[in-house]
């Protein structure tokens, strides 16, 4: 995969600041610390294009990244993570306003890439989000992260368990690791299929 260019377009604290471009958008969302920014960096083969941190709640703004492949222009959107225990109610509401404002308002949104730590079960946060996206007809890709943390057998077992937790919901599932780069090629393939 040849990435010609990857750069920050804008970081936004409020909905009216979101850029309006014709680039198809892929939005990365999920629990705080799940690895959204790291996955984005792995995809564009850059170490710190999106800022990552071992402290949850690093990404508090909505970051728009322009990504150019050979002949293809798209936008990656790094959304702030939810479920960070130490945030106040006010901050939680601000998250909701930003993320829902983005998901409801974006005309270029192509796919919501929902991230889930492979070691955790889907919580109500994820299942409600999946339902919310389905009601709005947003194509959703469930990406399991940090697969390097598990041995092969355990990994397979977790995939089967999470698939079961998805019940009958129509969501594609991919296994990735930003660290070992497992599944990054497959994720690019899934992205390209959606353009
Ligand atoms: P917020 O911005 O707080 O919502 O977090 P985020 O979802 O963007 O997570 P981020 O990419 O900042 O990663 C959080 C932590 O998980 C960092 O310490 C990363 O190094 C680590 N991490 C991310 N991806 C992987 C992975 O594939 N494998 C391993 N072992 N660690 C990872
Ligand atoms: Mg982040």
């Amino acid at each position: 995969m040849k990435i010609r260019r990857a750069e920050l377009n804008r970081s936004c604290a409020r909905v009216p600041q979101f850029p309006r471009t014709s680039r198809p958008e892929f939005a990365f969302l999920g629990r705080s610390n799940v690895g959204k920014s790291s996955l984005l960096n792995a995809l564009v083969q850059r170490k710190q294009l999106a800022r990552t941190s071992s402290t949850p709640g690093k990404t508090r703004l909505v970051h728009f990244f322009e990504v150019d492949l050979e002949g293809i222009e798209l936008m990656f959107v790094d959304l702030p993570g939810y479920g960070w225990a130490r945030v106040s109610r006010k901050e939680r509401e601000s998250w909701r306003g930003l993320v829902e404002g983005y998901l409801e308002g974006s005309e270029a949104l192509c796919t919501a890439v929902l991230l889930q730590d492979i070691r955790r079960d889907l919580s109500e946060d994820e299942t409600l989000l999946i339902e919310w996206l389905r009601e709005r007809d947003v194509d959703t890709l469930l990406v399991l992260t940090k697969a390097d943390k598990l041995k092969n057998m355990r990994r397979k077992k977790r995939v089967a368990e999470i698939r079961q937790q998805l019940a009958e919901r129509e969501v594609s599932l991919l296994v990735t690791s930003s660290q070992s780069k497992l599944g990054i090629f497959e994720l690019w393939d899934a992205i390209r299929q959606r353009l």
Side-chain angles (χ1 to χ4, degrees), residues 16-72:
Q17 299 168 337
F18 293 168
R20 285 187 185 277
T21 73
S22 54
R23 289 167 177 261
E25 291 174 1
F26 291 80
F28 293 74
L29 71 167
R31 183 167 299 280
S32 195
N33 217 41
V34 71
K36 297 174 291 298
S37 303
S38 302
L39 187 67
L40 226 137
N41 289 331
L43 280 167
V44 300
Q45 298 159 17
R46 295 267 295 270
K47 280 216 170 71
Q48 280 281 10
L49 181 66
R51 298 285 299 277
T52 64
S53 166
S54 52
T55 316
K58 177 73 197 172
T59 310
R60 302 241 185 140
L61 306 172
V62 181
H63 302 285
F64 291 82
F65 297 97
E66 290 180 8
V67 180
D68 293 0
L69 310 171
E70 275 167 288
I72 306 172

Side-chain angles (χ1 to χ4, degrees), residues 141-178:
L141 194 57
L142 184 69
V143 170
L144 304 183
T145 61
K146 310 194 186 184
D148 58 280
K149 298 265 193 186
L150 300 179
K151 294 216 174 80
N152 217 0
M153 286 288 284
R154 182 89 192 105
R155 206 182 279 165
K156 283 197 181 127
K157 192 156 176 274
R158 285 301 299 151
V159 173
E161 284 166 1
I162 292 167
R163 232 185 252 290
Q164 209 163 37
Q165 290 162 17
L166 277 171
E168 302 294 297
R169 298 182 185 93
E170 269 181 56
V171 182
S172 328
L173 210 160
L174 281 175
V175 179
T176 66
S177 162
S178 303

Side-chain angles (χ1 to χ4, degrees), residues 87-185:
V87 300
S88 64
R89 187 196 165 95
K90 205 172 152 202
E91 277 175 300
R92 265 203 301 277
E93 276 164 13
S94 142
W95 177 87
R96 184 176 288 270
L98 267 180
V99 174
E100 288 189 0
Y102 169 74
L103 292 170
E104 281 183 330
S106 169
E107 279 164 24
L109 178 62
C110 183
T111 298
V113 184
L114 174 60
L115 276 64
Q116 165 76 21
D117 189 317
I118 192 167
R119 299 164 298 173
R120 287 176 176 241
D121 291 333
L122 293 180
S123 74
E124 206 184 18
D125 288 329
E126 283 80 32
T127 50
L128 285 175
L129 201 46
I130 290 168
E131 289 299 324
W132 192 93
L133 292 163
R134 200 178 55 93
E135 279 162 19
R136 285 158 183 82
D137 264 331
V138 180
D139 173 50
T140 303
L141 194 57
L142 184 69
V143 170
L144 304 183
T145 61
K146 310 194 186 184
D148 58 280
K149 298 265 193 186
L150 300 179
K151 294 216 174 80
N152 217 0
M153 286 288 284
R154 182 89 192 105
R155 206 182 279 165
K156 283 197 181 127
K157 192 156 176 274
R158 285 301 299 151
V159 173
E161 284 166 1
I162 292 167
R163 232 185 252 290
Q164 209 163 37
Q165 290 162 17
L166 277 171
E168 302 294 297
R169 298 182 185 93
E170 269 181 56
V171 182
S172 328
L173 210 160
L174 281 175
V175 179
T176 66
S177 162
S178 303
Q179 199 173 79
S180 75
K181 310 292 184 279
L182 175 86
I184 300 300
F185 180 81

